[in-house]
Every structure is written in C-alpha cells, then in structure tokens.
C-alpha cells in the first residue's frame, strides 16, 4: 500500500525533472499513473465485497503511537476508486485541454501530489497521519486553484481557499489530539471500541466543534461555503477533479468515517441535520440565479454536499445507504457536467448559459454526455440518480416527528438542483445554433470521451444497480453502520409516497426549467443582498482585524528596545500581581528582619536620589554616572552585611558596565531627546510597581523555610572533589563549568556582534 501511495509523490518529482517531455506529446502518458492505481484498487474489490477489511501498517513514530497505518474497507475503497478513476479521466482530459501550456508539467506535478494526498486521507487509519495528508490536499489545491497565477482573481481565490480550509485544518488537528488523549490511541480502528467513553466524556462537545470545523470548511458547508465558487477560477479539469469527487468530499469522508465513533448522539445528529439542511437549501437557491456554467455547478455542488451532511445527520441505516449511493451518483454526473462545461468554454470561449444554445448540432457526443448527466442529476427513472433520490426520500419519510419538514426540504432542494442540472447539461445544446457558433466543431476525442463515459456509467448503474450494489454500496453501508441489515438496491419500489414525491420533483423542476429563463439581471438583483452574506461579513471582520494588527504592531513592535522592556515588565507585573492577590497569603514576620541602621538609611537616600537623577537628567553621561552610584551603593550594602566577595564582583561589573556605556555613548548622536515628562512619569509608575512586587516577593521568601541541601552539598564537596576552598569559584569552574563556558561563549558572540555594528558603515539610502 505504501508504494502505491508514494507513487504519486515520486511521479510529481519525475514530472518536474522531465518537464519538457511532459509538455510535449508524452502528456497523455501521465494518465498511466492514476489508471494503474485504479486497476490496483479494482483488484481489492472482491476481498472488500466479501466483508473483509485490509490493514497495512509500517512503523513511523511508535513511541508516540503514530504509525503509517492504512485501512481498506468499503468506504475508503469507494473513495479510492473515485479518486483514481475520475483522476485518470481528468489526467486524460487535461492532456488536450491544456495542450501546449508552458506550465503543463507543473500542472501535472500538483495534480499528482493532490491525488496522492487524497488517497492518504481516505486510507489512513491513524488520525495524525490523516491530518498530514489532509493539509497536503489544502496546499496542493492552493497551487491548483491559483494555477493561472497571472490572474489576480486566481491568486485571491487560492488564498481564500487555503485560508478557510487550512484554518479548519488547524482546528481539526486539535480535535484529533483531544480524541487521542481521551481514547489513548490515534488509531481510528481502535477508537471504535472507545465510542461510549468518548460520548460520555465532558470534552465530547469540544471534540465535535473541532471536528466539524475541519469537515465543514473543507466541504464548503454554510457559512464557510463561499470559497468554493471562487475556486472556479482554476482550470476546468481542476474544478472537475477537486469539486466533484475529491477535495470537497474529504469533509464528507471525515464525517462518514467518524459516524460509527462519535455518531448516534443528539449533538452529532442535530448539528449535521441543521448545517446540512441550511447548506443544501441556501446553495440550491443561489444556483438558479447564476448564469456562468461553473458558477451553477459550484453552487449545486455545495448543495449536494449539504445533502450528504444532512443524510449523515439523519443517522439511520437507510440514510447510510442513501449516502453511499448519492456519493457515487454525484461524482459521476457532476464530474461529467464540469468536463462538459470545460469543453463548451474551450470551444466557444464563453460559459455564459444565456448565450449558449443549439450546440448539439456541432458536438453531438458532448450533448449526449450533458443530457445523460443532467437526467441523472434530476433523478429521472432509468438513471442512478433516480435510485439515489428515492433513497433520500425514504430516509426523510422515516425521520420521526420532523419527517414532513425534512422531506419538504429535500423535495425543494431536488427541484432546484434539477433546474440547475438542466441549465448546465441541456440548455447549451437545445434550441437553435447562433451565428457566432457556426464555426464551432467537435473537439478531440480526449475532451468528450471522459464526460461521455461518466454519463453512460450513471445510466448503466441506474438500469443495472446490481453492478454496484454488493461490490461497492453494501461494503460502504457496513463501514458506516456496522451490522446494518442488507437492503438491495431496486429500480422500482412500486406505487407509493416516494414515487409521488419523485413525480412532484420532476414536475416542479421541469416546470421551472420551461417557465424561468436564466438572466444576468436576476443575478445582479440577488447581489444587492451580498452585504449580509457570510463572505462579506468575514471579509469585513478580516479588514477590522487588519486594522487592529497595524495598530498593535505600531504600538508594541515599534523597534524601540525600551518599549519591549516596558511591555515585558508590565506583563510580568500583571502576572505577579494577580498571583499575589489570588494565591498568596501575604504576611511579614518582623522578627526575621535585621535592625535598620543609619548606614542603611543613608545608602537608601543616596540610591533614591541617584535614581531620580538618572530618569530626570537630559545628559547621558550624568545618567550613566547616576546609575553607577546605585550599583556602588548596593556594593556597600553587601560589605555592611558581610559579603565582601559579592561586593567585589558587583563593583567590578558596575565599573565595567559604566566604561562600556561611555564607549557606546560616543557613537550616539549628541543631542537626542527620547523622553518627556509624561514618559518619565509612566516609566516611574511601572518601575515602582514592579520593584514593589519584587520586594514583596523577597520578603515573602524570607518567611519560607529554606532548603539548604544543595548549598550544603557544595560546601561539603568543594574541597573534596575539586580541591577549591572558595565554594563559589568551584561551582563556576568545576560543578557547572560547561554552563559557564557556554555563557562566556554567548557573551563573546554578543560582543562580536556589537563590535560589528560599531564598525558598520551604511550609506544614507540604506539607512532609510
């Protein structure tokens, strides 16, 4: 399994190395990769159809429970076949669609990485591994969506897609870590045994929020849906691949994969029902106002994804069967419609559905593909879409007390989707051929064969559902709902309510198609309400955040060292103050304090006067001299309280610091006033507060019993082990000699840096 997954990444590197050949006649040969992988997964089909699951495991970081674990069951095999099967057709299609493009090799490179990453997502059995592949799909799709990087709109769309899906990915990672910490495993297979524990845990709500954030952003659920229509700036093969069968369904796959683990809980089911319901209705409504073919298909895709989330929320065995069928139905007809739209754009130069008509007369195979795909989208009898639509209605009718409302929502959505499907698949080919398109001709077989094959498959599966029933659909149902009763797919369910609902859907959709013409005016009228759309609100929020970030940067990252020190001191004061107020019983034992003498009072007064002079003077030399007085006064305190060694060290350091300061001052401008009374008062207040807190802490430390075990060890062993009579010297040189050596090294590096800055000569232009 690992070589199969890695082949995509290896091919991507090879394509870059042999780019010239790929850009030429060998472009079609790249199709062999997805075709070979599709064949490999087809050979696994009999084993999975028998109810078995294949496991592959390779060690990676076993100490942390992170391994290259892969699992092939009904769900992962279905997605693998879609990814590689539709991938092979897209690779084949792109070899002509982008023929002669100067960056065709890069395109195939990104596409190979994306395909391998998607396979990794659906086959991973370890959530950390799944997350790695998940993010790889976001990154590779960023390059694919922004492939036409000369176009600002493409760049904007790719950044938007990366921001939304990548942001959701970070939240998903947190959810996975939370899942792993509660279930004590990162293996999805093993998490199944902890399902009850996870649902009863207090963090279950947080797990759902984080998991849903990842899935909803990836699968463009409301209110994160707006990145998907923008992603239509990508070349059509990308749109067909990412938005029909692969990337946008990664979120659906994630929800389906975790349904046995986290599902069958009101929080799970109700959230999915509500989110999916809103998404499918909202997007289906928007789809009928679009005039751009890819815009229509984008919104109808979002609606279909909402339908899948809606069904997963229903949670019943019938719902799982409907999910399994509808994933195949949607992948087949939506990929076919996207590829058909690409042909129309490629040959006519427009995707405006109000201008396209009569093209069946010059490209009949394309028209057949569009017609069959549209009929499957509409759920006409004889197509696989009909079976999928019946299963959806069967699910909603048995959904308990809300069955009427849920059924009404599903019927209304399907009516609107039928209209959208007819606009994309039938409208461009019906009616008279305009004069402007007289010269249009049937393109190369590499363009029309893939959508025709997909559309024919939708028809074949509808006529003979047994082709997919036991081999694909039932294993998926068993993966989503282990132990579910097997319900074979049927073409005809008799005269019942479901058939009536199907009739209402067809009549409503066809009636809408005949009596409502697409119009740019309606789309413009709808755009008047864009000011309350999620995209507008998010962009406004992003703008305010941008303003805040500029303000924050100017205030706190202004390049002045004193500002950084101030922020650090204020932050530390806040933390220390909060801890002292809430967690420390402050008291002072006067018996532990030494008697205050006249020497102490005199030195204290000198220190206060020196500090005041330091902060109030406008002369740097005076400020440095005043600071040195403070240091020398502290030396005196050490001498008074019997610490001559410490006093000598302090004296040396203070003297050296003063000398260095004076040397540096010679390099600074002579008259530069960097503070005023307001700044002095502010800094004084900050210093007094911080100093007071440190003083309180120092006094509190005196009240605590002292553990002298460490100092006793050094005192007893300084001479025995290091032959030194000065304990401090022995500690610096012997006991922690390496620490001292590293500290000295750091000081030397810093000194060299300062010396280099002093010797630096820059021109006036470079200074600016």
């Amino acid at each position: 399994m690992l070589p199969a997954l890695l082949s995509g990444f290896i091919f991507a590197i090879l394509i870059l190395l042999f780019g010239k050949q790929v850009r030429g006649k060998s472009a079609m040969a790249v199709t062999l990769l997805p075709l070979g992988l599709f064949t490999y997964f087809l050979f696994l089909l009999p084993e999975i159809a028998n109810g078995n699951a294949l496991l592959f495991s390779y060690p990676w970081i076993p100490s942390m429970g992170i391994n290259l674990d892969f699992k092939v069951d009904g769900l992962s095999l279905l997605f693998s076949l879609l990814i590689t099967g539709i991938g092979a057709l897209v690779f084949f299609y792109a070899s002509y669609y982008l023929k002669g493009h100067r960056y065709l090799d890069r395109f195939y490179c990104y596409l190979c990485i994306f395909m391998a990453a998607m396979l990794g997502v659906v086959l991973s059995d370890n959530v950390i591994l799944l997350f790695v592949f998940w993010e790889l799909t976001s990154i590779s799709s960023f390059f694919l969506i922004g492939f036409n990087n000369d176009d600002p709109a493409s760049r904007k769309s790719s950044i938007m897609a990366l921001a939304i899906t990548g942001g959701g990915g970070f939240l998903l990672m947190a959810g996975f870590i939370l899942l792993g910490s509660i279930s004590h495993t990162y293996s999805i297979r093993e998490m199944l045994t902890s399902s009850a524990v996870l649902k009863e845990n207090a963090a279950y709500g947080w797990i759902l929020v984080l998991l849903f954030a990842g899935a909803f952003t990836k699968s463009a659920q409301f209110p994160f849906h707006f990145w998907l229509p923008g992603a239509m700036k990508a070349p059509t093969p990308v749109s067909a691949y990412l938005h029909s069968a692969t990337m946008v369904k990664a979120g659906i796959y994630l929800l389906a994969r975790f349904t046995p683990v986290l599902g069958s809980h009101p929080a799970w089911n109700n959230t999915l029902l509500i989110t999916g319901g809103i998404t499918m209705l909202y997007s289906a409504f928007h789809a009928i106002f679009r005039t751009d073919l890819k815009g229509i298909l984008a919104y109808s895709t979002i609606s279909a994804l909402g339908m899948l989330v809606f069904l997963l929320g229903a949670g019943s065995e019938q719902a799982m069967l409907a999910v399994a069928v509808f994933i195949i139905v949607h992948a087949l007809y939506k990929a076919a419609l996207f590829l058909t739209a690409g042909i129309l754009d490629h040959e006519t130069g427009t995707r405006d559905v109000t201008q396209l008509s009569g093209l069946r007369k010059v490209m009949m195979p394309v028209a057949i593909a569009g017609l069959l795909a549209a009929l499957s989208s509409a759920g006409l009898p004889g197509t696989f879409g009909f079976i999928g639509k019946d299963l959806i209605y069967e699910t909603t009718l048995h959904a308990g007390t809300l069955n009427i409302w849920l059924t009404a929502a599903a019927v209304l959505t399907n009516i609107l989707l039928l209209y959208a499907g007819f606009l994309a698949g039938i409208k461009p080919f019906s009616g008279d051929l305009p004069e402007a398109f007289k010269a249009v001709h049937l393109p190369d077989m590499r363009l029309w064969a893939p959508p025709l094959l997909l559309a024919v498959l939708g028809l074949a599966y509808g006529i003979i559902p047994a082709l997919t029933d036991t081999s694909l659909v039932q294993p998926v149902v068993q993966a989503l709902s282990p132990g579910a009763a097997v319900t074979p797919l049927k073409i005809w369910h008799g005269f019942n309510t479901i058939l009536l609902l199907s009739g209402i859907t067809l009549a409503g959709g066809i009636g809408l198609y005949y009596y409502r013409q697409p119009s740019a005016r309606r789309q413009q009228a709808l755009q008047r309400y864009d000011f309350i759309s999620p995209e507008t609100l998010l962009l406004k929020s992003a703008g305010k955040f941008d303003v805040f970030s500029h303000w924050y940067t100017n205030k706190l990252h202004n390049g002045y060292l004193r500002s950084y020190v101030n922020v650090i001191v204020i932050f530390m004061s806040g933390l220390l103050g909060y801890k002292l107020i809430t967690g420390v019983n402050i008291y002072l034992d006067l018996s532990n304090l030494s008697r205050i003498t006249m020497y102490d009072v005199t030195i204290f007064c000198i220190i206060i006067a020196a500090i005041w002079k330091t902060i109030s003077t406008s002369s740097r030399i005076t400020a440095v001299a005043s600071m040195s007085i403070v240091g020398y006064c502290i030396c005196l305190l050490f001498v008074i309280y019997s610490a001559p060694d410490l006093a000598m060290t302090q004296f040396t350091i203070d003297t050296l610091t003063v000398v260095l300061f004076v040397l540096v001052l010679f390099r600074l401008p002579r008259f530069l006033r960097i503070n005023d009374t307001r700044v002095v008062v502010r800094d004084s207040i900050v210093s007094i507060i911080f100093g007071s807190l440190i003083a309180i802490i120092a006094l509190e430390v005196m009240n605590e019993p002292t553990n002298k075990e460490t100092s006793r060890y050094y005192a007893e062993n300084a001479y025995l082990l290091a032959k030194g009579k000065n304990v401090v010297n022995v500690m610096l040189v012997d006991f922690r000699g390496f620490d001292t050596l590293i500290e000295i090294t750091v000081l030397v590096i810093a000194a060299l840096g300062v010396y280099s800055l002093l010797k630096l000569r820059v021109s006036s232009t470079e200074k600016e």
Side-chain angles (χ1 to χ4, degrees), residues 434-477:
E435 189 65 29
F437 298 148
K438 293 289 186 185
V440 173
H441 56 82
L442 183 67
D444 188 89
M445 181 270 291
R446 281 175 283 177
L447 283 189
W448 56 261
L452 186 60
L453 176 61
L454 291 168
V456 170
L457 279 177
L459 183 66
Y461 292 161
I463 297 171
I464 314 173
L467 290 173
T468 61
D469 191 11
T470 55
S471 57
L472 275 177
V473 175
Q474 295 305 333
V476 174
V477 175

Side-chain angles (χ1 to χ4, degrees), residues 474-657:
Q474 295 305 333
V476 174
V477 175
Q478 292 302 320
L480 297 178
S481 180
V486 176
T487 308
L489 297 179
K490 295 179 181 176
I491 303 175
W492 177 253
H493 292 80
F495 293 97
N496 52 22
T497 308
I498 296 172
L499 185 65
L500 176 63
L501 293 173
S502 292
I504 292 173
T505 304
L506 293 174
I510 293 172
L512 191 64
Y513 176 72
Y514 276 105
Y515 289 104
R516 185 183 184 281
Q517 294 301 315
S519 162
R521 184 174 53 80
R522 290 196 182 96
Q523 183 174 341
Q524 291 167 358
L526 188 66
Q527 287 172 348
R528 287 184 299 179
Y529 301 98
D530 279 352
F531 69 96
I532 53 173
S533 69
E535 181 179 7
T536 305
L537 296 177
L538 183 76
L539 290 177
K540 282 184 178 177
S541 303
K544 293 186 183 302
F545 187 79
D546 190 47
V547 171
F548 169 76
S549 64
H550 278 94
W551 173 85
Y552 171 84
T553 303
N554 291 332
K555 284 290 182 186
L556 300 182
H557 296 278
N558 52 14
Y560 291 108
L561 179 62
R562 61 178 183 276
S563 297
Y564 300 147
V565 173
N566 245 335
V567 170
I568 293 170
V569 170
I570 291 172
F571 182 72
M572 289 293 296
S573 300
L575 285 181
L576 291 172
Y578 175 77
K579 188 63 182 174
L580 286 175
I581 293 171
T582 58
V584 178
N585 182 22
I586 300 175
Y587 69 98
L588 182 61
D589 185 0
L590 296 175
S591 62
N592 286 335
L593 298 180
S594 302
R595 185 174 58 85
I596 299 175
T597 65
M598 281 303 295
Y599 301 115
D600 299 329
V601 174
T602 304
I603 292 171
F604 177 75
C605 292
I606 294 172
I607 289 175
I608 295 297
I611 291 173
W612 175 251
K613 193 62 182 176
T614 303
I615 62 175
S616 62
T617 184
S618 59
S619 166
R620 296 193 186 96
I621 296 294
T622 306
V624 172
S626 302
M627 282 179 60
S628 67
I629 292 173
V630 175
Y632 292 146
C633 286
I634 293 174
C635 292
L636 286 175
L637 286 174
F638 289 150
V639 171
I640 292 171
Y641 287 96
S642 306
D645 288 356
L646 199 54
M648 184 57 70
T649 306
Q650 178 76 21
F651 177 80
T652 307
I653 295 297
D654 264 317
T655 304
L656 183 62
T657 305

Side-chain angles (χ1 to χ4, degrees), residues 57-393:
S57 184
Y58 310 89
W60 184 18
I61 317 173
S63 60
M64 297 179 68
I66 303 172
N67 292 309
L68 302 175
D69 295 335
F70 303 103
K71 178 182 176 182
V72 184
D73 62 356
L75 184 63
S76 56
L77 185 61
L78 170 63
F79 273 92
S80 299
L81 289 170
L82 291 177
I83 292 164
T84 54
I86 294 181
L89 295 175
V90 168
F91 274 61
F92 184 70
Y93 179 93
S95 67
Y96 186 82
Y97 189 86
L98 294 172
K99 182 181 178 183
H101 198 289
R102 58 176 177 163
Y103 295 132
L104 183 59
D105 53 334
R106 292 188 194 175
F107 178 80
Y108 275 126
C109 172
Y110 302 148
L111 215 55
C112 285
I113 295 173
F114 176 78
M115 182 184 65
M118 271 304 301
L119 284 175
V121 167
V122 301
L123 291 169
S124 295
D125 188 55
N126 188 293
V127 290
I128 303 299
L129 183 64
L130 191 156
F131 173 75
V132 171
F133 286 118
W134 182 279
E135 289 301 286
L136 275 176
T137 62
S138 296
I139 295 169
S140 52
S141 64
F142 165 77
F143 288 114
L144 286 169
I145 295 168
F147 182 68
N148 296 319
N149 52 29
D150 294 333
D151 181 8
S154 291
R155 294 200 299 270
K156 181 182 175 183
S157 299
S158 59
I159 292 172
M160 177 75 80
L162 182 65
I164 300 294
T165 59
F170 281 120
L171 297 175
L172 180 65
M173 179 179 66
F176 282 161
I177 293 173
L178 197 56
L179 263 173
S181 65
I182 295 172
S183 60
H184 305 293
T185 179
Y186 289 124
S187 167
I188 301 173
R189 186 175 73 254
E190 294 174 5
M191 283 179 187
L192 278 170
T193 59
S194 306
S195 176
V197 176
L198 288 166
K199 292 173 192 170
E200 292 170 2
N201 193 283
Y204 178 71
W206 283 110
I207 292 173
L208 293 193
V209 170
L210 296 169
L211 203 72
F212 287 159
F216 290 170
T217 51
K218 199 76 161 181
S219 284
Q221 295 299 292
F222 184 89
F224 308 108
H225 63 282
F226 50 86
W227 69 264
L228 198 147
M232 293 299 152
K233 299 294 179 186
T236 298
V238 176
S239 304
Y241 196 32
L242 270 64
H243 305 140
S244 62
T246 54
M247 179 181 170
V248 292
K249 282 205 176 77
I252 304 299
Y253 167 81
L254 187 76
L255 294 174
R257 176 57 75 197
F258 279 92
T259 292
V261 181
L262 300 170
S264 302
H265 189 284
W268 173 276
N269 294 94
N270 293 337
T271 305
L272 295 187
L273 268 178
I274 294 170
T275 306
I278 293 174
T279 303
M280 68 185 195
L281 280 170
Y282 177 88
S283 302
F285 177 74
H286 273 264
I288 67 171
F289 283 90
R290 306 290 147 178
T291 56
D292 177 75
L293 278 175
K294 289 177 76 172
I296 295 169
L297 295 175
Y299 275 99
S300 61
T301 294
I302 299 171
S303 182
L305 295 172
M307 181 73 79
L308 286 168
V309 173
F310 176 80
L311 291 171
L312 286 169
S316 63
E317 293 180 2
Q318 292 164 327
M320 298 302 110
L321 181 62
V323 167
V325 171
F326 193 61
I327 286 174
I328 304 172
V329 170
H330 178 256
L332 292 177
Y333 81 70
K334 189 53 63 73
L337 288 176
F338 264 119
L339 296 177
T340 302
I343 296 171
L344 296 176
D345 188 19
H346 192 270
E347 298 303 316
T348 65
T350 180
R351 298 196 306 260
D352 191 338
V353 75
T354 60
Q355 298 180 22
L356 296 169
S357 67
L359 290 167
R360 70 184 184 286
K361 297 178 179 176
V362 289
M363 45 177 75
M364 183 55 77
V366 185
I368 294 172
L371 174 67
L372 293 179
L375 295 182
S376 186
S377 163
L380 215 69
T383 65
F384 206 36
F386 176 71
I387 297 174
K389 181 161 55 60
D390 277 10
L391 289 171
I392 293 171
Y393 292 155

